[in-house]
Every structure is written in C-alpha cells, then in structure tokens.
Amino acid sequence: QVVSSLAGQPEIIQKFSHKWIERNREIQLLWEVTNPEIIQSYRIYRSENQSPISLWKETEELSATDRKLKTGYTYRYFIQAICTDGRVSGKKEIIINH
C-alpha cells in the first residue's frame, strides 16, 4: 500500500515539546495540532544514542511518557500524524540529552 503525504497542506503538528519530570525520572512528550478532527492516531519513533530510529508508540492522545531512560544517553523522538483517510503528516523531531 502506498501512503500519500499531505504535500501542500499546512503542518498538522504545530508544536512538539517535552517536559522532564524529575521525581519520576521520565520524559513527557507533548504536542499541539491543527485539525484534530482529521487525526486517527499519532506515531512516535524513538532512538537511543546512535541506534536506528524505530516505532516506539502509537497513540490517540496528545502526550506520551517515556519511563525507560538511561543517564548519559541522547534520545531522538519523531512524531507523525496519521489521518483518518490514510494520509500521513510530516515528521517533527526532538533531541533530548539525558
């Protein structure tokens, strides 16, 4: 199956940010979107240090929490919206040094 992109459309994911929650030693990823009514789910990809990026989680929520962190590691996260018609948005990226 060929998945088309949303070329020519405004970015769906407007803001991709994170919060470090010290007491739980976890990272909360947060995002804001335009047109939430056309979103089926969000795919979050993750890598540790130089490891290949891979699908970490798929969710319908506007946040996700990573509790499996190692001190001294660099984490990369990409997020992508999957629309109800099968199209996918562009990716947003965050790099976090833990």
Side-chain angles (χ1 to χ4, degrees):
Q1 176 185 2
V2 175
V3 178
S4 65
S5 68
L6 295 170
Q9 298 249 344
E11 281 297 314
I12 289 176
I13 300 169
Q14 294 294 309
K15 185 177 178 185
F16 187 33
S17 60
H18 76 281
K19 271 196 240 182
W20 169 247
I21 302 170
E22 181 66 41
R23 72 180 183 279
N24 299 339
R25 304 200 52 76
E26 61 193 29
I27 293 171
Q28 184 178 30
L29 302 172
L30 307 149
W31 52 94
E32 296 174 11
V33 298
T34 59
N35 304 328
E37 67 281 355
I38 69 167
I39 307 298
Q40 175 179 310
S41 64
Y42 304 95
R43 287 186 186 151
I44 305 167
Y45 299 82
R46 174 186 187 268
S47 76
E48 292 180 348
N49 287 340
Q50 300 302 315
S51 68
I53 194 105
S54 61
L55 182 63
W56 172 61
K57 183 176 282 201
E58 188 161 351
T59 182
E60 295 175 14
E61 305 298 320
L62 289 172
S63 67
T65 302
D66 191 349
R67 295 178 174 92
K68 296 185 178 181
L69 303 173
K70 299 173 188 165
T71 302
Y73 276 54
T74 299
Y75 293 91
R76 290 176 67 207
Y77 299 94
F78 291 91
I79 188 167
Q80 187 173 45
I82 309 303
C83 298
T84 55
D85 65 4
R87 293 180 299 167
V88 297
S89 73
K91 291 179 182 172
K92 294 277 188 190
E93 177 182 14
I94 289 180
I95 299 174
I96 301 169
N97 294 308
H98 175 54

